[in-house]
Amino acid sequence: MTGALLALVGCGGAAPEEADAEADAPGATLVAVDQAQRADNGLSTNGLSTNGLSTNGLSTNGLSTNGLSTNGFNDWFNTNSATAPTLMAYIVKCAVPAGQTRTFLHTATGTNYTWQGNLGLAPNWAGGQPATEAEQQAVSACLAAHANKFGLHVSLSVLGRTSAGTPLPYSAQELSTFSVREACFFGNLFTAEGVFAARDRDFSAAESTTRACGLTLKADSCAPITNVGSCSQFCTKADPSQPYFTQCTYNGKTYPALTTRVQPQELYRCGDGTCQFTEHCGTGLTADSCQADCGTCG
């Protein structure tokens, strides 16, 4: 697996695991919240709208241990204790390089969280400096790419560049295994600009997917992510031979983009003989009204 090959699952907070080392402070409980990397735990779309990432002071103080210990971050974490641990697991996974961790002592509970880095999309921010706009955008695209509205374990290939312009590594085997082009993601969750997705392949009303944020015909199917249509309408590649878009322009603003791929089994089609959880009964041949697979309603 390369650094660009990730996995995700849908909803749920990060549950504390058994401590594997002594706590940093007397009476503290050490929690390794690395399920996002190790057990394919995923990011709920609800977590993307947790009061705005800039309000916690994280973008100003840097993604370092010192930045995580500020009063602003503590207040934000306490206010959003149900979603903050999982959201932080994915922020660190997206922003910090593989092999590094970030820890946070939750003073209200005495729990010491440890989050694992992976993609390294925001090297300056990960080093403790304020997040640049490019880093905010890269991490926002990454968080959106990892969102899953159904709460399922779904393997995923993420392609693109870091905020410094370094390509994420990938292999021919990865492209072969994750052979279905899915979507592109871009935007800025740290501001009021929003975060967006677009389709990277043809998609019909007869089809449905375990992901539903990128491959959809509905703009609002995965709020707060807005699906804007097709990647080819808004996005460009610096090198046409590469399997990913490097930037997307929407509402007059250009953002760095991340591109995702999935395995063929993550897509369903009305008429394949199985009533999938993404399909509904009806009288038609679309996923929302699939008589062929799910029968008529009533």
Side-chain angles (χ1 to χ4, degrees), residues 7-297:
L8 76 119
V9 160
C11 316
E17 297 183 342
E18 182 178 349
D20 56 6
E22 292 185 357
D24 294 334
T29 301
L30 183 65
V31 177
V33 186
D34 60 356
Q35 294 167 312
Q37 294 76 26
R38 200 158 45 78
D40 297 347
N41 195 27
L43 179 61
S44 165
T45 53
N46 292 333
L48 294 179
S49 55
T50 308
N51 290 349
L53 296 178
S54 62
T55 60
N56 61 22
L58 191 60
S59 62
T60 301
N61 296 306
L63 194 63
S64 63
T65 301
N66 290 336
L68 299 183
S69 64
T70 63
N71 290 333
F73 181 81
N74 272 282
D75 291 343
W76 171 82
F77 198 94
N78 288 333
T79 302
N80 304 281
S81 57
T83 55
T86 298
L87 179 58
M88 281 305 301
Y90 275 89
I91 289 174
V92 174
K93 180 179 186 177
C94 291
V96 177
Q100 296 186 23
T101 61
R102 294 295 182 271
T103 60
F104 168 63
L105 176 60
H106 190 199
T107 55
T109 63
T111 301
N112 193 28
Y113 291 93
T114 298
W115 297 302
Q116 307 287 334
N118 194 336
L119 291 177
L121 294 174
N124 292 332
W125 190 36
Q129 300 179 37
T132 65
E133 183 179 39
E135 290 181 319
Q136 293 176 11
Q137 294 168 341
V139 171
S140 296
C142 184
L143 292 175
H146 282 80
N148 187 297
K149 66 181 289 185
F150 293 126
L152 296 177
H153 292 260
V154 179
S155 295
L156 176 71
S157 169
V158 177
L159 306 169
R161 296 179 174 180
T162 72
S163 60
T166 304
L168 298 175
Y170 65 89
S171 66
Q173 180 181 359
E174 179 176 334
L175 298 183
S176 176
T177 301
F178 294 83
S179 58
V180 177
R181 301 196 322 271
E182 187 194 43
C184 50
F185 296 87
F186 55 96
N188 195 336
L189 287 165
F190 294 77
T191 66
E193 296 167 32
V195 63
F196 311 98
R199 300 180 298 276
D200 190 26
R201 64 179 293 273
D202 292 336
F203 192 73
S204 72
E207 295 177 286
S208 56
T209 172
T210 59
R211 294 260 292 158
C213 291
L215 280 179
T216 180
L217 300 177
K218 302 174 182 177
D220 58 351
S221 66
C222 207
I225 302 170
T226 300
N227 196 290
V228 296
S230 171
C231 295
S232 60
Q233 292 177 265
F234 305 99
C235 308
T236 58
K237 299 179 179 182
D239 182 348
S241 68
Q242 296 294 343
Y244 56 84
F245 295 93
T246 49
Q247 64 181 32
C248 301
T249 301
Y250 186 71
N251 284 338
K253 182 154 186 148
T254 300
Y255 301 89
L258 290 178
T259 305
T260 55
R261 298 167 69 99
V262 294
Q263 298 178 78
Q265 62 263 32
E266 306 305 338
L267 271 67
Y268 308 133
R269 177 178 288 275
C270 178
D272 63 12
T274 302
C275 185
Q276 307 289 355
F277 75 96
T278 56
E279 297 174 336
H280 304 281
C281 60
T283 58
L285 294 174
T286 68
D288 290 337
S289 179
C290 186
Q291 181 179 9
D293 295 346
C294 304
T296 56
C297 300

